[in-house]
Amino acid sequence: MTPEEVLARLDAPLSLRRRVFYLVVAFAGLTGSALIGLLWATEPGLPTRTGVAFGVLVAIGLGWAAFGGWAVTRRMPLFARDRVVAGWLGVAAWVAFSVGALVISLLRHDLELALLGVVLLLGAVAALNLRAARRARAVLVRRRNALAATETDE
């Protein structure tokens, strides 16, 4: 494959398959937020910690919906920027979940090792996904820059 062909493939916008995937992500986030919001609105007298948990879950769902909408509307090549943004969104959701779960557990004076294990496992998965996304983006950007440099040299 010539450098021009590789550059053309790198400069291509998202494929139809990726666009459909991000539409599914957006609709899943909206659906989850709507369902949790409806449950929250129709259950009077919930404890404060439950209301806060529902609010956090609605915010996480809306974050994924916004991310899906952002990714679908990009008309330029993303060079794995979408994966990095998704990685950061995953880390932010993990932090929100972890802080909430740990605060509720500590307030109840009942910190279980299983909860701590789940929190740590989810954090490790979020961190690994972000690291892989950042590496993939760095590789693509380096490749694009190297190909662009060889194209200008010719």
Side-chain angles (χ1 to χ4, degrees), residues 17-154:
R17 181 176 165 198
R18 285 301 267 187
R19 286 186 187 278
V20 169
F21 172 75
Y22 286 130
L23 278 176
V24 169
V25 167
F27 286 130
L30 281 176
T31 302
S33 292
L35 291 175
I36 293 168
L38 284 173
L39 179 62
W40 190 11
T42 58
E43 292 294 327
L46 289 173
T48 304
R49 67 178 178 260
T50 306
V52 170
F54 280 1
V56 168
L57 290 173
V58 167
I60 289 170
L62 290 175
W64 283 109
F67 165 71
W70 170 82
V72 167
T73 59
R74 299 299 97 189
R75 297 286 180 212
M76 59 186 182
L78 295 176
F79 297 105
R81 183 180 303 137
D82 52 333
R83 295 176 190 173
V84 174
V85 171
W88 278 113
L89 190 55
V91 168
W94 169 74
V95 167
F97 168 77
S98 299
V99 168
L102 292 175
V103 165
I104 289 170
S105 293
L106 291 174
L107 289 177
R108 295 179 66 199
H109 306 290
D110 189 24
L111 182 62
E112 295 187 22
L113 289 179
L115 173 66
L116 195 56
V118 168
V119 165
L120 292 175
L121 177 66
L122 290 175
V125 169
L128 287 173
N129 280 335
L130 177 59
R131 182 174 180 228
R134 292 180 67 157
R135 282 184 164 190
R137 176 162 170 72
V139 166
L140 287 174
V141 169
R142 271 196 311 271
R143 183 180 295 166
R144 179 195 62 190
N145 293 341
L147 288 171
T150 60
E151 187 177 81
T152 57
D153 291 342
E154 292 176 359

